[in-house]
Amino acid sequence: MLGLSGSLRRASYCTAILRTLGEGLGNRATLDIFDLKSVPLYNQDEDDELQPESVKALKRAVTDCDGVLLISPEFNHGMTGVLKNALDWASRPTFASPFRNKPVLIMSASPAFTGGVRAQAQMLETLAAMLARVVSTPQVVIGSVHDKINDGRLVDEASLRFASEAIDDLLREIVGTQIARAA
């Protein structure tokens, strides 16, 4: 699986959650986290053979993975510009992006008690336009996240258990997608 964090901070709560969830997978799967820091702002003039190497790497990572886990904080009632920008690059070519039919699980985390739930609405809308296969599961929102991260790891048992159950849903969707492709 591929993890994309909508936060670039060194001490990012979202990235800490991805790391923790990846460590909890054991031998069931792997979660590789792609750092979006090197992905430049979308520029249609470079959306051809001139694509930056970081964009090509992002698209390869999405293409090569079996499923994607997106997590974003909430900025001004939406996903971060960092994540939206990465999704814009990866949405190309239109109707044939590497996200097409790719199982995707979305999560959000915020110091606010709402946990970034409004960011998820934007993620859903963008992913629908990209024809991604968003996993239908109860929304994973981690509110008061600043109280739930310690030493770069998600330590709140209830949040970790709930997020892990959603990861199980993603893994089931991945297996279902693989079976459908094989048939």
Side-chain angles (χ1 to χ4, degrees):
M1 293 186 299
L2 179 68
L4 299 178
S5 171
S7 174
L8 300 180
R9 278 188 328 114
R10 276 188 308 278
S12 163
Y13 300 132
C14 291
T15 305
I17 292 166
L18 284 177
R19 276 195 306 270
T20 305
L21 292 172
E23 291 166 0
L25 288 170
N27 62 1
R28 298 180 305 144
T30 59
L31 179 65
D32 297 318
I33 301 171
F34 189 94
D35 189 349
L36 297 176
K37 150 179 22 176
S38 63
V39 176
L41 292 175
Y42 179 77
N43 180 346
Q44 192 172 9
D45 290 340
E46 297 176 354
D47 194 10
D48 51 23
E49 65 277 351
L50 299 175
Q51 276 185 356
E53 284 305 313
S54 59
V55 171
K56 291 177 185 177
L58 171 63
K59 287 183 172 188
R60 272 192 311 272
V62 174
T63 298
D64 293 345
C65 76
D66 294 316
V68 179
L69 173 56
L70 300 177
I71 184 166
S72 182
E74 183 175 283
F75 285 6
N76 300 313
H77 295 195
M79 75 174 118
T80 63
V82 169
L83 184 56
K84 178 65 166 87
N85 181 64
L87 293 176
D88 286 346
W89 274 113
S91 72
R92 313 292 287 173
T94 305
F95 306 120
S97 84
F99 270 92
R100 184 182 178 118
N101 294 319
K102 185 74 63 172
V104 178
L105 176 64
I106 64 171
M107 297 182 179
S108 57
S110 172
F113 74 93
T114 56
V117 70
R118 293 170 294 207
Q120 289 197 20
Q122 282 189 344
M123 287 191 277
L124 283 170
E125 190 172 319
T126 299
L127 291 165
M130 296 167 64
L131 306 177
R133 183 184 297 261
V134 179
V135 175
S136 180
T137 187
Q139 286 182 302
V140 179
V141 294
I142 302 174
S144 302
V145 70
H146 59 291
D147 294 329
K148 298 174 181 177
I149 301 288
N150 190 8
D151 291 328
R153 298 293 179 266
L154 177 62
V155 295
D156 180 71
E157 286 300 318
S159 298
L160 187 54
R161 187 172 40 257
F162 192 67
S164 294
E165 289 171 6
I167 293 283
D168 291 342
D169 291 337
L170 174 59
L171 291 172
R172 282 189 286 278
E173 184 71 25
I174 289 169
V175 169
T177 300
Q178 291 170 338
I179 290 170
R181 276 193 209 126

